[in-house]
Amino acid sequence: MLFQRAAAGLAGLLGISKPGLTPRQFEPDSSVYVDAETGLTFASYTSDRSIIFRVAIPDVIPTDLIFDTVLQIVSPIDVGWAGFSWGGHMTYNPLGIAWANGNEVILSPRIAYGYYSPPIYTDSHYTVLKKGTFVNATHFQVTAKCTGCSSWGDESIGFSNIDPEYQTTLAYAYGDTKVDTPADKESTFGIHDSLGHPIYDLAVAKNADFAKKVAALAEGDVTTPAPPAGGDDESCDAKDM
């Protein structure tokens, strides 16, 4: 397990890995989380910076592995930006970069080609869900449907996809410095302060009536819940908020 993670981390830093798919023979880093606000079930992971990265998927996965996903990021308000990678590394795959801008959350689709601010990625699209997205005194949270995050690539970089039948190595990064232009979805920002490559078991993140639930959340009322807190909810680990 440790060797596998070390190898995945090295490959990710070099930008040469694809999503790491392994049989369910290891304990994943993610845990199941049932979100009372949205009603969605997620595979959830909490980073060393107390940033939570959650993924929800449909219960029926097409054979071509092209399907919409939901990404939820919960971050302390003092984090400059928090990024999620669907390919298990920070280059040549869809990224979602989130940051707070006053009372709103910006979620920007990006793709990285090296150690510089990644440009906008036009082959993936995020639809921010009104219910499940907020900024309060201590945290910002964004919940968004992504189209184009389960399968990607071209002839130059190769083709990759996520297969929930296997454990999947995903990735995250964050920066403590604020982005250069918070109101601009295309803002530049500095290099990450830390990154990680957690193993997710996405089988636990399947949701019945996925499209219907997501559509309802996109039209839902905007709310500002209390700050997330560790709790007694048996659906999540103590590390999850």
Side-chain angles (χ1 to χ4, degrees), residues 32-86:
V32 63
Y33 180 83
V34 180
D35 184 14
E37 183 186 4
T38 64
L40 294 175
T41 298
F42 292 90
S44 177
Y45 173 79
T46 304
S47 76
D48 58 349
R49 187 64 168 80
S50 297
I51 307 170
I52 305 171
F53 299 92
R54 296 176 178 144
V55 176
I57 61 174
D59 64 336
V60 178
I61 303 299
T63 55
D64 61 7
L65 299 179
I66 299 174
F67 54 94
D68 288 341
T69 59
V70 168
L71 172 65
Q72 185 177 84
I73 299 175
V74 188
S75 173
I77 195 69
D78 60 344
V79 170
W81 58 269
F84 187 78
S85 163
W86 294 93

Side-chain angles (χ1 to χ4, degrees), residues 225-241:
D232 298 325
D233 186 345
E234 62 183 9
S235 66
C236 62
D237 286 348
K239 69 180 181 180
D240 284 322
M241 295 191 292

Side-chain angles (χ1 to χ4, degrees), residues 32-156:
V32 63
Y33 180 83
V34 180
D35 184 14
E37 183 186 4
T38 64
L40 294 175
T41 298
F42 292 90
S44 177
Y45 173 79
T46 304
S47 76
D48 58 349
R49 187 64 168 80
S50 297
I51 307 170
I52 305 171
F53 299 92
R54 296 176 178 144
V55 176
I57 61 174
D59 64 336
V60 178
I61 303 299
T63 55
D64 61 7
L65 299 179
I66 299 174
F67 54 94
D68 288 341
T69 59
V70 168
L71 172 65
Q72 185 177 84
I73 299 175
V74 188
S75 173
I77 195 69
D78 60 344
V79 170
W81 58 269
F84 187 78
S85 163
W86 294 93
H89 49 95
M90 286 298 151
T91 52
Y92 300 101
N93 72 103
L95 310 177
I97 311 296
W99 63 84
N101 174 43
N103 293 323
E104 67 173 342
V105 184
I106 304 295
L107 180 60
S108 182
R110 304 289 182 114
I111 187 169
Y113 300 108
Y115 285 102
Y116 50 87
S117 187
I120 291 289
Y121 184 52
T122 57
D123 287 342
S124 66
H125 175 72
Y126 287 99
T127 301
V128 174
L129 308 181
K130 294 181 179 180
K131 195 169 186 65
T133 300
F134 63 86
V135 179
N136 61 29
T138 62
H139 287 77
F140 67 84
Q141 174 177 304
V142 62
T143 307
K145 178 184 76 172
C146 185
T147 300
C149 287
S150 72
S151 183
W152 63 90
D154 55 35
E155 303 238 343
S156 63

